[in-house]
Every structure is written in structure tokens, then in C-alpha cells.
């Protein structure tokens, strides 16, 4: 993903993004030194921050720029949820690297990665409770269920593919929907309920784009043919653009469209 384009997109929501960073840091602050060391380590490499951007840009594009304090909290919560899932995933997948350096499980150990991931999830719940909005709490709880089911389904899928030497296409796409698209759809819905359809298609397109880029490097996760992945990715991009079409022109709409256009490269 092109960094220069992503920097331009972030500039559209520069002020609320800084507020998200501040809330994220404050909420995760802990008097337990080792836990704080992990928080600092994770925060040093923020990654793309796509989940934050999806919340903020969805709100801005659908509400004429009305990014509320609740929206800010939701963005911070979804970034915490994403980072929690990464720490847990790295333990499950035995991944030594995350964002170009040692993963938490590699830098410390599996036990600490699991415990810190749990701490992040607890802080997500606290942020949502502070919003005092059952709708948001339900959205995130359902998303965590989907993500957890997707991770287990992936383990089942890999075992069955290896034992039967067959590719279950429907299961492959269901894994992508549960593990990745569900979270991005939730981010967009928290920004504004009208944006969920965009988030679902964007999430599928993003994960397909990611799988295409490491098609020959990831041999543990069997995939459909490359040309099929490109075709399905483009279908989701087209559907996501269609979902944006009713929105009035704005810098937020331009930015979220550019976020989608990056997946064409």
C-alpha cells in the first residue's frame, strides 16, 4: 500500500486522528511496567491505521464532517481490537515478525502476547461502555464472534485441505469475510450505519489484495487461482464504489475513495 497516498488520506482527518492517538495511549496506560513496555512497543509501529481511518472517514463522509467524541472513542476501540487480534494471531500462527520487526510473542513470549491481547480487549469493552450506546456494543461483540469463528475456521480449512487435497472455495471466502471484512464493516458502521455495506466490500477487497500480494509466499493457507482472486477483488471494489455513490461530494468521500483505489495497485 502506497505510503504517500495513505499520508494524504490521513491528512484529511489529521485533527481527530491525533485525538484518537491520545485516547488510545491514555486508555492503555498501565502501572504494570511490563504491560506498559508492551504498549509502548506496539505503539512505536502504528501500521496503516486503516481501522481508525475507516471509522473517521465513514463518519465524515456520511454526516457532512460531523466527527463526534463518540466517533473518536469508537476509532480508538477498533484500533485496540485490531492490535489485540494481531497479538493473538501471531501466537496461533507462530509468527515471529509483525510490522517489520519481532512480534510481541517473539520479543517476549506466547503467554505475555495472549495476556496483553486480553488486556486490550478489556479496554475495548470499557471504551464502548463509556459511550453508553448498546448498538455500538452489539456491533463490536458480534464482530469479535465473527473474527474468532473465522480464525478457528481457518485452522479447520487448512487441516481439511491438507488431508483431502481439495480446495473449498466457499470456506476460503467465508474465512476472509469473518476474519477481515467483519472488522472493517464494523468500523464503517460505527462511523455511520449507512456505511456498513461499503465496509464489507472494502474488507473483502483488502484481504484479497493482501492475499494476491503474498500469493506465492504463503504456502500454508491454500488459495483459489490467482486470476480468480483478482476478479473477485475487482468485483468487491466495484461494489464498494457503488455503495459510496449516494454520498454527497466531500473531502471525506474523496479520501475514502482513494483508500479504495489503492487496492487497484
Amino acid at each position: 500500500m502506497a505510503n504517500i497516498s495513505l499520508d494524504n488520506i490521513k491528512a484529511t482527518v489529521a485533527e481527530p486522528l491525533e485525538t484518537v492517538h491520545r485516547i488510545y495511549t491514555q486508555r492503555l496506560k498501565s502501572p504494570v511496567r511490563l504491560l506498559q513496555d508492551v504498549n509502548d512497543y506496539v505503539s512505536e509501529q502504528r501500521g496503516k491505521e486503516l481501522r481508525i481511518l475507516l471509522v473517521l472517514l465513514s463518519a465524515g463522509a456520511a454526516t457532512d464532517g460531523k466527527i463526534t467524541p463518540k466517533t473518536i472513542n469508537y476509532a480508538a476501540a477498533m484500533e485496540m481490537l485490531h492490535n489485540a487480534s494481531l497479538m493473538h494471531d501471531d501466537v496461533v500462527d507462530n509468527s515471529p515478525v509483525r510490522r517489520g520487526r519481532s512480534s510481541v510473542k517473539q520479543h517476549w513470549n506466547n503467554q505475555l502476547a495472549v495476556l496483553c491481547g486480553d488486556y486490550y480487549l478489556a479496554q475495548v469493552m470499557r471504551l464502548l461502555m463509556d459511550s453508553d450506546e448498546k448498538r455500538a456494543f452489539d456491533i463490536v461483540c458480534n464482530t469479535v464472534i465473527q473474527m474468532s469463528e473465522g480464525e478457528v475456521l481457518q485452522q479447520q480449512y487448512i487441516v481439511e485441505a491438507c488431508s483431502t487435497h481439495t480446495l473449498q472455495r466457499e470456506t476460503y471466502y467465508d474465512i476472509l469475510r469473518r476474519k477481515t471484512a467483519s472488522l472493517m464493516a464494523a468500523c464503517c458502521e460505527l462511523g455511520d450505519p449507512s456505511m456498513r455495506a461499503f465496509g464489507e466490500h472494502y474488507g473483502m477487497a483488502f484481504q484479497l489484495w493482501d492475499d494476491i500480494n503474498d500469493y506465492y509466499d504463503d504456502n500454508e493457507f491454500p488459495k483459489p487461482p490467482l486470476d480468480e482472486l483478482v476478479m473477485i477483488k475487482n468485483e468487491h471494489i466495484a461494489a464498494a464504489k457503488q455503495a459510496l455513490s449516494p454520498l454527497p461530494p466531500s473531502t471525506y468521500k474523496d479520501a475514502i475513495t482513494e483508500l479504495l483505489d489503492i487496492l487497484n495497485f
Side-chain angles (χ1 to χ4, degrees), residues 2-12:
N3 288 330
I4 185 169
S5 296
L6 202 56
D7 287 342
N8 291 339
I9 293 167
K10 287 183 177 183
T12 306

Side-chain angles (χ1 to χ4, degrees), residues 172-204:
Y172 168 81
Y173 292 114
D174 192 24
I175 292 167
L176 270 54
R177 179 181 64 81
R178 292 174 185 272
K179 284 190 61 178
T180 301
S182 66
L183 178 56
M184 292 187 168
C187 290
C188 293
E189 186 176 4
L190 289 169
D192 189 85
S194 67
M195 295 295 291
R196 183 172 181 89
F198 168 82
E200 289 174 345
H201 290 297
Y202 176 83
M204 288 297 294

Side-chain angles (χ1 to χ4, degrees), residues 130-265:
D130 288 350
S131 74
D132 194 27
E133 188 171 336
K134 184 178 183 299
R135 179 188 68 89
F137 199 84
D138 286 344
I139 290 170
V140 176
C141 285
N142 288 334
T143 301
V144 173
I145 290 171
Q146 289 286 313
M147 293 169 67
S148 301
E149 289 176 342
E151 189 64 52
V152 175
L153 185 61
Q154 180 170 314
Q155 302 304 312
Q156 173 186 309
Y157 168 80
I158 292 172
V159 170
E160 291 178 351
C162 291
S163 62
T164 64
H165 303 289
T166 59
L167 180 70
Q168 300 294 329
R169 279 176 166 77
E170 289 186 5
T171 304
Y172 168 81
Y173 292 114
D174 192 24
I175 292 167
L176 270 54
R177 179 181 64 81
R178 292 174 185 272
K179 284 190 61 178
T180 301
S182 66
L183 178 56
M184 292 187 168
C187 290
C188 293
E189 186 176 4
L190 289 169
D192 189 85
S194 67
M195 295 295 291
R196 183 172 181 89
F198 168 82
E200 289 174 345
H201 290 297
Y202 176 83
M204 288 297 294
F206 175 84
Q207 190 56 59
L208 285 161
W209 172 84
D210 197 50
D211 283 4
I212 289 165
N213 285 338
D214 69 358
Y215 190 83
Y216 297 106
D217 297 328
D218 183 4
N219 297 320
E220 292 187 4
F221 188 30
K223 305 180 184 72
L226 187 58
D227 58 349
E228 178 181 323
L229 297 187
V230 173
M231 179 187 71
I232 301 297
K233 182 204 74 167
N234 291 337
E235 289 177 356
H236 281 291
I237 288 176
K241 287 186 175 181
Q242 183 61 35
L244 290 177
S245 60
L247 297 177
S250 70
T251 56
Y252 300 101
K253 182 179 180 179
D254 291 344
I256 206 166
T257 300
E258 186 178 352
L259 197 63
L260 184 62
D261 288 340
I262 290 174
L263 305 182
N264 282 318
F265 295 96

Side-chain angles (χ1 to χ4, degrees), residues 38-192:
V38 174
N39 293 339
D40 294 341
Y41 184 80
V42 172
S43 296
E44 284 170 4
Q45 296 289 336
R46 285 176 173 159
K48 303 178 185 72
E49 298 187 306
L50 291 178
R51 287 86 193 158
I52 297 176
L53 292 175
L54 288 172
V55 177
L56 298 180
L57 292 174
S58 292
T63 65
D64 194 27
K66 296 176 182 176
I67 298 176
T68 67
K70 282 188 178 181
T71 305
I72 299 291
N73 281 350
Y74 296 156
M78 297 313 274
E79 186 68 4
M80 287 180 196
L81 174 55
H82 176 56
N83 284 330
S85 72
L86 295 183
M87 282 187 271
H88 286 170
D89 284 355
D90 287 342
V91 173
V92 172
D93 300 334
N94 196 29
S95 299
V97 177
R98 173 63 63 184
R99 293 171 179 164
R101 63 178 185 170
S102 295
S103 60
V104 171
K105 60 89 59 183
Q106 188 71 17
H107 193 77
W108 282 279
N109 53 56
N110 286 340
Q111 294 89 336
L112 189 60
V114 171
L115 292 169
C116 289
D118 290 346
Y119 175 78
Y120 278 44
L121 289 174
Q123 293 292 358
V124 169
M125 295 300 107
R126 286 190 64 183
L127 260 177
L128 294 173
M129 290 290 289
D130 288 350
S131 74
D132 194 27
E133 188 171 336
K134 184 178 183 299
R135 179 188 68 89
F137 199 84
D138 286 344
I139 290 170
V140 176
C141 285
N142 288 334
T143 301
V144 173
I145 290 171
Q146 289 286 313
M147 293 169 67
S148 301
E149 289 176 342
E151 189 64 52
V152 175
L153 185 61
Q154 180 170 314
Q155 302 304 312
Q156 173 186 309
Y157 168 80
I158 292 172
V159 170
E160 291 178 351
C162 291
S163 62
T164 64
H165 303 289
T166 59
L167 180 70
Q168 300 294 329
R169 279 176 166 77
E170 289 186 5
T171 304
Y172 168 81
Y173 292 114
D174 192 24
I175 292 167
L176 270 54
R177 179 181 64 81
R178 292 174 185 272
K179 284 190 61 178
T180 301
S182 66
L183 178 56
M184 292 187 168
C187 290
C188 293
E189 186 176 4
L190 289 169
D192 189 85

